[in-house]
Amino acid sequence: MKRDSKLSGVLHVLLHMLGMKAPATSEQLARVMGTNPVVVRRVMAGLRDQGFVTSAKGHGGGWAVACDPATVTLADIYKAVGEPTLVAMSHRTQMPHCLVEQSVNRALDGAFREAETIFQSHLAAVTLAALSADFNRRLAERGQTIEEQTHAL
Amino acid sequence: MKRDSKLSGVLHVLLHMLGMKAPATSEQLARVMGTNPVVVRRVMAGLRDQGFVTSAKGHGGGWAVACDPATVTLADIYKAVGEPTLVAMSHRTQMPHCLVEQSVNRALDGAFREAETIFQSHLAAVTLAALSADFNRRLAERGQTIEEQTHAL
DNA sequence: TTTCATGGAACTAATTATGTTGCATGAAAT
DNA sequence: ATTTCATGCAACATAATTAGTTCCATGAAA
């Protein structure tokens, strides 16, 4: 299975945006994320629909943070990008009448559900502000400026 | 991403085998699993290497359970099929020098690791015998015989 | 020696996330 | 007004991966 990196990518973008004052264009963010502007728009669309960011067309347009990083958690962002499935395994649902399959599925589903629950509760425990603070701590440790890290946006 | 169903498939096969006396051929098991004999051999190879089942060529050959279902857990089987990754998400590892990426990855990795841990501990809490008992309970509830469930092997 | 079964390699198909291209829309600058 | 810049959206291409398939070799029992 090819693995989904939307959550990782969008968090990366958001953290960079928190360190910027002016709106950022999709192209700038794409450079930060090492991808294509269209991909950025795609993943950011969910955040915009939930009101976490705004987008504006034309001169001076682009993306801006529109939420309080101290109250928005990674779980909110996870939902905003479409809540991609955590679990990379599936059942062979070919034979729903088979009692063996029912037993197996029930056992595995329990383990899957628990993993999802724990995962989301971990995300819910981290705010964007906390992530940003962690970043700034690393920045200070290394004695760099934000500008050096944002790759000359 | 296409999702991995090896664990589900092999458990299905094992449960059917626990209800049989003679060795089962790959073709019989494939019919049970709704797939191809070669696929069965592929997933069973791991179990054989770990000694959970045996395989024999020629007349009267096939696959047989070679372990005590009361002591083997789903976690053992999970490892035997190659420990396919539970998590369907990944980082964008393009820029390892980027401190933002480091912060994001650290936060997500924590959540991923915890999910994996919980998942495996759930698997470790279920033995093959327990799964089989669950199956037999369902069978009794429905008033069917094993033969009816094994689709005339 | 024939038949049956696994073992293993190589190839095909299907799925899905990501990347790409093209054009429409609308806002600001000139 | 018109040009420029930027998002919005749809359609298509690419890449990675899992499962399915075909073919032939090997070896055991009848």
Side-chain angles (χ1 to χ4, degrees), chain A residues 34-83:
Chain A
T35 182
N36 189 292
V38 179
V39 174
V40 170
R41 290 187 194 116
R42 204 134 69 189
V43 302
M44 295 292 280
L47 299 205
R48 183 194 54 221
D49 295 347
Q50 304 298 316
F52 296 128
V53 299
T54 58
S55 65
K57 294 180 174 179
H59 268 109
W63 301 89
V65 175
C67 63
D68 177 4
T71 65
V72 174
T73 71
L74 304 199
D76 297 320
I77 305 303
Y78 174 62
K79 285 175 197 126
V81 295
E83 213 160 344

Side-chain angles (χ1 to χ4, degrees), chain A residues 6-131:
Chain A
K6 282 197 279 291
L7 180 58
S8 164
V10 85
L11 287 175
H12 192 155
V13 160
L14 276 175
L15 244 65
H16 274 286
M17 287 172 70
L18 287 177
M20 300 167 64
K21 35 270 151 227
T25 66
S26 301
E27 188 169 331
Q28 290 173 317
L29 297 178
R31 222 156 29 224
V32 160
M33 220 173 86
T35 182
N36 189 292
V38 179
V39 174
V40 170
R41 290 187 194 116
R42 204 134 69 189
V43 302
M44 295 292 280
L47 299 205
R48 183 194 54 221
D49 295 347
Q50 304 298 316
F52 296 128
V53 299
T54 58
S55 65
K57 294 180 174 179
H59 268 109
W63 301 89
V65 175
C67 63
D68 177 4
T71 65
V72 174
T73 71
L74 304 199
D76 297 320
I77 305 303
Y78 174 62
K79 285 175 197 126
V81 295
E83 213 160 344
T85 179
L86 169 70
V87 172
M89 286 185 251
S90 70
H91 305 313
R92 310 186 63 94
T93 44
Q94 325 289 14
M95 324 187 99
H97 64 286
C98 175
L99 292 179
V100 165
E101 182 144 308
Q102 287 181 25
S103 290
V104 170
N105 287 359
R106 208 180 65 116
L108 291 182
D109 277 335
F112 292 158
R113 241 199 325 275
E114 187 74 11
E116 281 269 12
T117 301
I118 289 288
F119 174 67
Q120 294 206 25
S121 70
H122 263 244
L123 294 188
V126 181
T127 63
L128 293 182
L131 249 196

